[in-house]
Amino acid sequence: MTGMALGKPGGSLVTAGLVAFVVLVLLFLLLRHFVRGQGGWRRFRRRIAQETALTRRAFGEPLRAFRRHRRGVRALARQLSEPRTGLLVRRLLDSAAAALSDAPGAFPYALWLAPETAAVQIAARRLPGPPAPWEDGAGPGAHVWLLALDEQEALPEGAPRPGSRARPLPVAVGMADDACVHLDLAAGPRLVTVEGDPAARLRLLQALAAQLDRSGSGVSVTVTDNVHPHHPGERLDSVLRRLEDTPAPAGDLDRPATTEAVVCAAPTGDQARRLGALAASGSVVVLVDGRAAAHSWALRVDARGRVTAPELCLDADSGPLGRGVAAAIRADRRRTRRMPAAAPRQLPPELPELPDEPSVAASGSDLLSEPATAREQPMAASSNAPGEL
């Protein structure tokens, strides 16, 4: 009995090898035809390198954005938690204002504070030359004075110019590269609208209000209804009647009066007019969620937290601001808990006694608490008229 004939084991391997070789040749010919259509091997390799770099950058951007956010939170928390930094910001603004005493209509309204330098943004028709140790750092469409922080001791003591009715009231609005951007709410119309993405603008409004509500700010904050879901607040009409019936406090330069701050949402045309009149009197600062038909500064924020104000030459990242302010408020609470254990420090007899801490309608931590879902605020039908510098 003869056995069944079997194929040689080497025959199938040779056949598979020949098929693979033919396939590779065909792929090479197709690739060669495609490369010729792209302009040759050199241009093809250059395009492949570009596409690879773009792909690597796209996949690495979330990680870089997270690192930038963390750096911004640390920088803002460090600056806002240190009381001496707040004093430095006010001193720089006061010094720049004193240096502009001979320039009619010129005033500083914003400050970029980096680890080694500071830049003061100035509104002026004709900006005079900066006095030493300031340096001219004017950019396109902006008037800027620069100062190296190691030369701050050479600054003359800034005295308020004659007729000045308010001290600086700076609040941080975000980060620009490695600099913390501070906006002086007392320099402009004192009415600031926050517009743009509903969730992002609510976070920015809360961070600004929480800064005004911090201990030692000299500001009494009132949050009205329809602003925060967890804080019912007083009706805006009632707040307006109370402020309009209250005479303006008579403060002096040595002991400034307490500033009232009103945080509201989407005021009507009549309410916006009354808020503008109170802000123009100099005793009230107004933060509005949404537009307001009044002379104001408008901060526009997108979904990624980028806040811009072209009329102010402002472009910053407000994403890290909320966590930075929260860290500063926690630092305030730690200092408050340590105060009873510390020995009381006597003020020199020539210094005036500090005013009592104003009462506020909501604490800074309450103002920073964010609801689970951000809701769309009703927008006023009238358009905003951003103020000119």
Side-chain angles (χ1 to χ4, degrees), residues 12-387:
S12 59
L13 294 178
V14 172
T15 303
L18 290 175
V19 172
F21 176 75
V22 172
V23 171
L24 290 176
V25 171
L26 291 177
L27 290 177
F28 175 77
L29 294 176
L30 289 174
L31 178 62
R32 183 180 179 186
H33 176 73
F34 177 77
V35 169
R36 285 184 175 180
Q38 296 294 321
W41 287 101
R42 180 175 298 178
R43 184 173 296 180
F44 179 72
R45 286 195 300 268
R46 187 183 302 115
R47 186 169 181 177
I48 289 295
Q50 292 174 352
E51 293 295 335
T52 303
L54 290 176
T55 303
R56 185 171 58 251
R57 189 178 301 115
F59 279 96
E61 180 58 30
L63 179 59
R64 287 190 293 271
F66 176 74
R67 289 177 176 174
R68 285 196 302 269
H69 179 81
R70 294 285 296 175
R71 286 196 302 268
V73 170
R74 288 194 295 266
L76 285 165
R78 184 168 53 251
Q79 287 200 16
L80 297 177
S81 301
E82 177 54 57
R84 287 175 294 185
T85 303
L87 296 176
L88 174 62
V89 171
R90 289 179 171 83
R91 183 189 177 195
L92 293 175
L93 290 171
D94 279 336
S95 177
L100 293 167
S101 58
D102 295 333
F107 60 91
Y109 65 88
L111 176 73
W112 275 250
L113 187 60
E116 298 181 356
T117 60
V120 174
Q121 194 89 18
I122 299 171
R125 292 180 180 271
R126 294 181 179 178
L127 184 65
W134 294 101
E135 298 179 359
D136 190 4
H143 298 302
V144 179
W145 283 358
L146 299 177
L147 175 72
L149 292 183
D150 55 2
E151 299 181 2
Q152 60 176 297
E153 298 300 331
L155 284 174
E157 291 297 330
R161 70 177 62 187
S164 177
R165 62 186 179 185
R167 64 178 183 177
L169 191 60
V171 292
V173 296
M175 295 293 298
D177 295 331
D178 61 343
C180 179
V181 182
H182 300 265
L183 185 65
D184 185 6
L185 300 184
R190 302 172 69 90
L191 192 153
V192 178
T193 63
V194 183
E195 308 169 16
D197 180 77
R201 81 179 188 223
L202 182 59
R203 289 192 294 266
L204 178 58
L205 184 76
Q206 292 172 358
L208 297 179
Q211 290 180 74
L212 294 177
D213 191 42
R214 291 182 63 187
S215 175
S217 65
V219 181
S220 177
V221 179
T222 301
V223 180
T224 64
D225 57 348
N226 297 327
V227 172
H228 201 291
H230 303 320
H231 180 74
E234 189 178 354
R235 292 181 59 86
L236 181 56
D237 286 329
S238 301
V239 174
L240 288 172
R241 284 194 298 269
R242 172 172 58 81
L243 294 176
E244 290 169 343
D245 295 339
T246 302
D252 51 55
L253 296 178
D254 293 330
R255 188 172 181 174
T258 299
T259 301
E260 292 280 348
V262 177
V263 184
C264 60
T268 64
D270 179 67
Q271 291 172 339
R273 178 188 59 79
R274 296 164 68 186
L275 287 170
L278 288 170
S281 68
S283 59
V284 177
V285 172
V286 183
L287 297 178
V288 180
D289 181 16
R291 296 185 177 181
H295 180 49
S296 63
W297 280 349
L299 303 180
R300 301 172 182 88
V301 59
D302 60 17
R304 302 182 65 179
R306 200 75 190 178
V307 56
T308 58
E311 64 274 14
L312 303 177
C313 299
L314 176 65
D315 187 353
D317 179 17
S318 66
L321 184 61
R323 295 184 63 185
V325 175
I329 293 175
R330 290 194 296 268
D332 291 343
R333 291 175 175 175
R334 289 194 295 269
R335 279 193 294 269
T336 302
R337 288 195 296 266
R338 289 196 300 263
M339 283 179 61
R345 183 172 59 91
Q346 299 295 331
L347 292 176
E350 65 273 12
L351 292 180
E353 183 182 357
L354 294 177
D356 294 335
E357 196 66 35
S359 60
V360 295
S363 65
S365 57
D366 296 335
L367 295 173
L368 276 176
S369 60
E370 185 177 358
T373 57
R375 53 185 175 83
E376 178 73 25
Q377 297 287 355
M379 302 297 287
S382 55
S383 61
N384 179 49

